[in-house]
Amino acid sequence: MGILETIAGPLAERLANTSTGLVVCAGIASLIVLTIVLNALKQLLSRNPNEPPIVFHWVPFIGSTITYGIDPYKFFFSCREKYGDVFTFILLGRKTTVCLGTKGNEFILNGKHKDVNAEEIYSPLTTPVFGSDVVYDCPNSKLMEQKKFVKFGLTSEALRSYVPLIVGEVRKYVKENAQFRGDRGTLNVTPSMGELTLFTASRSLQGKEVREKLNSTFADLYHDLDMGFSPINFMLPWAPLPHNRRRDAAREKMAKTYLDIIEQRKTAGGEKDSEDMIWNLMNCKYKGGKQIPDVEVAHMMIALLMAGQHSSASTMSWILLRLATRPDITEELLQEQIDVLNDGDSNKPLPELTHDDLATLALHSKVVRETLRIHSPIHSIMRKVTSPMPVEGTPYVVPISHILLAAPGVTSRTAEHFADPLHWEPHRWDEDEENKEQGSVPAAVKEDDEEKVDYGYGLVSKGTSSPYLPFGAGRHRCIGEQFAYVQLQTILATMVRLFKFRNVDGKKGIVETDYSSLFSQPMRPAIIEWEKRKTEKA
């Protein structure tokens, strides 16, 4: 007791003479330090050999969230060196198991629905934006039917009709946008391509009535809905925050806009006069024979508008930024159009672009593919584990308390699959070995004999053996892939006819990537110089 009294006596006296606030702060600080120390000791002393290794972190709950959020690919590659292809990190209190490589993609993206699902991960985020009873707010079987309706609505006839509409929107945007006045100038790429891809998608896929409304309040509604994808909404999607209130109001107004369009078309006799998706969905029925309710059509149209827009805008931005660093590729693209569409005659005007032309413009396709390889808009694809999952070739079993994360972009950035992987070189996709430059493409990317699976919306390639998966794989593979390629190649071909691009003041390199939102994009501002071609100058 003598020692205790010796220590406690002065301590009690000191505390008595210290302000309550300071004592409370000291207590909280001590608790935080103790929690951090215990968390570190737990990781070092009690690792479960039957579960993937946990990425070491100091602060509980926060874990590796900040490091992952700043640069996911840097985080993935760093962890891969330390822990291998399978590891777990703490993401806002949730144990998230990452499986890298083609085997990891196969394990997660082709996981059986009884073992993993996407609904529990994404529904809290997407349902307040898209609306009820569509996408992740319905049984998986119904979602597969909805995907089938959209996929089969993207017919060759529909895609063929979209090309002239997209070309028209690009030319209209260039004519009316103040950034393109004069014979040369600068362009803030990311917001501009966001607008342009929105206009082109709305005029083709969404319908003329939607495009007409984008010049007024519809664009503001889109912005408010877009804020629903803020990172904080992964944790607090229903919180009464100002941006969530605006999101909910925008969803209701936008849904009413679509409902009004549907009603107007029905009142006018319901005769199809274009190939837009509204007409397609108005005439679709579920397996039981039930017509798709108008409100579900409206919500599916919102989903189509929001889900595809970010990916196309980001990709088109990166394409222009890359072309600005490689003026030689821009000239090759124009020459390809002259050679293929004009029989090499550069003295006569190029013909109007058609859907059939896109298949003949090989380099245009390679530019899009190479850009998607390095700059995939979605860096992480998550699934909730619903039954314990053994990881083949390891002693690990992923428990139901974990989330699985696939990162297909890692394989497309890996030297074992693509030589000099971060070098942007469209010619790596060349078939002719003599002309191929800077790296090669694995045979798995080019082969079209992969096993086909029907998840309920038509046969699709499993695709997970490929190191190139910009549109995902498995039952949740993006159904807008064909439209995306048509949209991106058409915009690219039209812009190349109109402009030359280069970096401002001859600067080298390209802007960094912004990973702060759900969809990665170029850091802002991303400025390039443009110059109108002689045929376009005033």
Side-chain angles (χ1 to χ4, degrees):
M1 289 296 292
I3 297 177
L4 184 61
E5 287 179 359
T6 301
I7 297 173
L11 180 60
E13 183 178 348
R14 181 177 291 272
L15 288 175
N17 295 324
T18 303
S19 69
T20 303
L22 187 59
V23 172
V24 171
C25 289
I28 293 174
S30 300
L31 182 61
I32 291 173
V33 171
L34 179 62
T35 301
I36 291 173
V37 170
L38 291 176
N39 178 60
L41 289 175
K42 180 181 178 181
Q43 295 173 74
L44 296 172
L45 302 177
S46 62
R47 182 180 170 234
N48 185 343
N50 296 319
E51 293 184 8
I54 295 179
V55 176
F56 184 80
H57 57 282
W58 289 102
V59 183
F61 187 80
I62 298 298
S64 305
T65 302
I66 297 175
T67 310
Y68 162 74
I70 292 174
D71 190 332
Y73 288 119
K74 183 178 180 181
F75 174 73
F76 292 145
F77 280 108
S78 174
C79 291
R80 191 185 198 190
E81 289 183 7
K82 295 178 183 177
Y83 306 103
D85 281 342
V86 183
F87 54 88
T88 297
F89 74 100
I90 305 302
L91 176 63
L92 294 177
R94 297 186 289 188
K95 289 186 176 180
T96 304
T97 297
V98 180
C99 299
L100 300 177
T102 55
K103 290 184 178 179
N105 295 337
E106 166 72 26
F107 178 65
I108 296 175
L109 301 182
N110 273 331
K112 296 180 179 179
H113 186 60
K114 69 178 182 64
D115 297 326
V116 295
N117 74 58
E119 291 84 348
E120 291 187 45
I121 298 295
Y122 294 113
S123 181
L125 184 71
T126 60
T127 300
V129 175
F130 301 158
S132 59
D133 299 313
V134 300
V135 192
Y136 296 120
D137 190 52
C138 61
N140 188 260
S141 58
K142 184 176 180 179
L143 169 59
M144 294 301 108
E145 284 197 80
Q146 292 175 351
K147 293 184 73 169
K148 180 179 69 176
F149 297 148
V150 174
K151 181 183 176 184
F152 284 87
L154 293 171
T155 62
S156 296
E157 184 180 358
L159 294 172
R160 187 171 289 107
S161 73
Y162 293 163
V163 172
L165 298 177
I166 294 171
V167 171
E169 284 296 328
V170 175
R171 288 190 170 275
K172 180 182 178 182
Y173 184 77
V174 169
K175 182 180 179 180
E176 297 179 354
N177 193 296
Q179 291 185 92
F180 292 111
R181 289 176 184 165
D183 292 338
R184 58 174 54 85
T186 59
L187 177 69
N188 191 359
V189 174
T190 309
S192 298
M193 290 305 100
E195 291 176 346
L196 183 56
T197 52
L198 179 60
F199 293 155
T200 55
S202 61
R203 179 61 188 92
S204 54
L205 192 63
Q206 296 273 324
K208 59 184 178 182
E209 299 101 327
V210 176
R211 174 62 185 96
E212 289 168 358
K213 294 178 183 298
L214 271 175
N215 293 325
S216 53
T217 58
F218 204 84
D220 294 330
L221 296 179
Y222 173 86
H223 176 268
D224 289 342
L225 261 185
D226 190 39
M227 292 304 294
F229 288 128
S230 299
I232 192 174
N233 280 12
F234 259 119
M235 293 292 294
L236 303 169
W238 302 105
L241 301 172
H243 75 269
N244 282 347
R245 292 195 187 97
R246 290 193 296 270
R247 171 204 65 192
D248 294 342
R251 183 192 63 248
E252 294 304 315
K253 291 177 183 177
M254 191 175 285
K256 186 178 185 305
T257 298
Y258 283 114
L259 289 170
D260 289 344
I261 292 172
I262 294 169
E263 184 59 34
Q264 289 168 9
R265 291 186 176 188
K266 288 181 176 179
T267 303
E271 292 186 11
K272 184 177 178 180
D273 61 358
S274 65
E275 295 292 336
D276 63 62
M277 192 57 64
I278 296 178
W279 277 121
N280 173 59
L281 294 178
M282 285 173 64
N283 294 304
C284 288
K285 295 180 180 180
Y286 289 112
K287 286 181 179 178
K290 178 186 176 184
Q291 194 87 20
I292 303 181
D294 290 350
V295 68
E296 289 185 19
V297 173
H299 291 168
M300 289 170 70
M301 292 305 298
I302 293 174
L304 280 173
L305 181 69
M306 303 301 297
Q309 161 61 13
H310 294 87
S311 298
S312 294
S314 174
T315 304
M316 198 62 230
S317 296
W318 285 118
I319 288 174
L320 290 190
L321 289 167
R322 287 293 182 177
L323 289 179
T325 69
R326 293 287 304 274
D328 59 310
I329 296 293
T330 307
E331 297 312 301
E332 279 190 61
L333 290 168
L334 181 63
Q335 190 60 48
E336 179 178 62
Q337 292 191 50
I338 294 171
D339 291 342
V340 174
L341 307 180
N342 251 8
D343 295 323
D345 188 349
S346 60
N347 293 318
K348 65 179 183 180
L350 284 163
E352 289 298 320
L353 194 69
T354 69
H355 181 259
D356 292 339
D357 293 336
L358 298 181
T360 66
L361 300 175
L363 183 57
H364 287 67
S365 174
K366 293 168 189 174
V367 165
V368 173
R369 298 188 81 187
E370 178 70 351
T371 304
L372 283 167
R373 183 187 68 81
I374 298 179
H375 302 291
S376 179
I378 299 179
H379 54 75
S380 302
I381 302 175
M382 299 183 185
R383 300 287 184 265
K384 178 71 176 71
V385 181
T386 53
S387 63
M389 297 184 65
V391 182
E392 183 180 357
T394 75
Y396 308 141
V397 176
V398 183
I400 60 174
S401 58
H402 286 214
I403 289 170
L404 284 172
L405 187 154
V410 167
T411 55
S412 65
R413 288 168 164 243
T414 305
E416 64 194 79
H417 297 297
F418 295 91
D420 197 4
L422 295 185
H423 175 62
W424 187 81
E425 180 50 70
H427 285 295
R428 76 168 68 239
W429 299 87
D430 291 352
E431 295 290 341
D432 184 351
E433 290 295 330
E434 293 182 2
N435 295 328
K436 188 178 294 185
E437 302 174 12
Q438 294 296 329
S440 59
V441 175
V445 173
K446 299 177 182 177
E447 292 175 355
D448 196 30
D449 56 358
E450 287 250 358
E451 180 185 349
K452 299 288 194 298
V453 181
D454 187 350
Y455 295 102
Y457 58 94
L459 286 173
V460 294
S461 171
K462 289 181 69 175
T464 47
S465 65
S466 171
Y468 174 78
L469 298 174
F471 294 94
R475 70 174 54 246
H476 292 290
R477 181 171 180 157
C478 177
I479 53 175
E481 182 175 352
Q482 281 185 299
F483 174 77
Y485 277 120
V486 167
Q487 182 189 29
L488 293 170
Q489 288 183 53
T490 303
I491 294 175
L492 171 61
T494 308
M495 294 294 279
V496 164
R497 292 185 180 191
L498 301 176
F499 300 106
K500 298 177 182 180
F501 301 104
R502 57 180 173 268
N503 276 349
V504 176
D505 298 328
K507 292 180 180 178
K508 303 293 183 181
I510 196 167
V511 298
E512 296 296 323
T513 304
D514 179 3
Y515 295 107
S516 63
S517 65
L518 186 63
F519 301 89
S520 59
Q521 60 182 327
M523 282 281 191
R524 302 190 185 199
I527 311 294
I528 62 172
E529 289 184 359
W530 55 264
E531 180 183 352
K532 287 181 180 176
R533 297 193 181 274
K534 291 181 180 179
T535 55
E536 300 295 328
K537 290 182 179 180

